[in-house]
Amino acid sequence: MKKILNKTLINQKVKNIGESISKKFIGKKPIFIGVLKGSFIFTADLLRSIKIDCEVEFIKVQSYKGTQSTGNVKIISDIKTNLKGRHIIVVEDIIDSGKTIKFLISEFKKKSVKSISIATFLMKSNQQKFDFPIDYIGFEIKQGFVVGYGLDYNQKYRNLDSVYVLESKN
Ligand code: IMP
Ligand code: MG
């Protein structure tokens, strides 16, 4: 495995994102919605860099098996809090094809939220354009499967405090 992002770099970036969000959402009491499991560490660190009143919820979705996207996304565990009229910030670990985030945006739109913003720790740089803005991006990375800082390969490596590219799939 090759390290591509170390913890000092990660911590600084997460702090910067937290500061931007804190400025933008002052007085709006946003709800951060962490997308499990991958974003649990990013969500926890991001929340600690937020200096305004906020709430946090988690939603659990599934779309991947190993390093292959299954293409269909489903909600495994939903949010019970009423989101109507609320500013929500969806917190993702990584956006690759965009299928997961696209699905989540359409689900949250049905709940009459006041605004939807997206904060993703990683973004795989691919040519395709999304028809929605990605408001906060930690790092853009090249293609390749990455693990660590919450991201897994078959549930392994979430505990690593840096991000690595998986070279061998064992
Ligand atoms: P998308 O729907 O293709 O954008 O994929 C999004 C989801 O797939 C993310 O929330 C991750 O859980 C998972 N995923 C995509 N790429 C990677 C990766 O390189 N490492 C670990 N998980 C990934
Ligand atoms: Mg995952």
Side-chain angles (χ1 to χ4, degrees):
M1 296 206 299
K2 186 172 162 249
K3 192 187 275 194
I4 56 164
L5 300 170
N6 68 45
K7 63 177 178 183
T8 315
L9 199 64
I10 293 171
N11 292 346
Q12 191 53 52
K13 182 69 80 169
V14 174
K15 210 169 147 241
N16 291 346
I17 295 175
E19 282 165 6
S20 306
I21 293 177
S22 299
K23 277 190 200 138
K24 179 140 187 235
F25 288 89
I26 190 158
K28 294 183 171 167
K29 219 211 247 178
I31 306 181
F32 289 84
I33 301 179
V35 184
L36 293 175
K37 296 178 195 170
S39 84
F40 79 109
I41 291 180
F42 179 42
T43 306
D45 282 351
L46 185 60
L47 257 285
R48 280 176 285 188
S49 70
I50 298 297
K51 306 297 175 206
I52 57 168
D53 282 351
C54 63
E55 295 174 25
V56 65
E57 295 287 343
F58 290 95
I59 191 165
K60 190 170 182 188
V61 298
Q62 197 173 45
S63 66
Y64 259 69
K65 277 214 159 65
T67 57
Q68 292 301 308
S69 171
T70 60
N72 62 41
V73 188
K74 54 184 179 184
I75 295 175
I76 308 291
S77 171
D78 208 347
I79 295 161
K80 289 167 189 75
T81 302
N82 187 3
L83 301 179
K84 192 174 175 203
R86 302 296 303 268
H87 294 277
I88 67 165
I89 301 167
V90 182
V91 185
E92 260 286 23
D93 55 349
I94 184 165
I95 296 177
D96 181 7
S97 70
K99 278 178 194 149
T100 307
I101 195 69
K102 205 171 168 177
F103 167 78
L104 285 171
I105 290 170
S106 72
E107 289 299 305
F108 290 133
K109 275 188 177 158
K110 291 180 197 161
K111 304 199 171 181
S112 311
V113 296
K114 187 140 192 184
S115 72
I116 304 177
S117 303
I118 300 160
T120 189
F121 172 56
L122 300 175
M123 174 94 182
K124 277 194 194 164
S125 45
N126 46 22
Q127 265 63 50
Q128 80 187 94
K129 292 261 179 290
F130 299 117
D131 48 8
F132 45 83
I134 311 295
D135 307 87
Y136 305 96
I137 298 173
F139 302 93
E140 289 205 25
I141 57 162
K142 303 229 163 58
Q143 292 303 310
F145 201 81
V146 292
V147 296
Y149 198 71
L151 290 101
D152 72 304
Y153 171 65
N154 282 344
Q155 305 306 324
K156 237 168 96 181
Y157 310 121
R158 294 192 196 276
N159 54 309
L160 305 178
D161 64 9
S162 302
V163 173
Y164 300 79
V165 178
L166 207 65
E167 282 156 337
S168 145
K169 290 177 185 171
N170 301 312

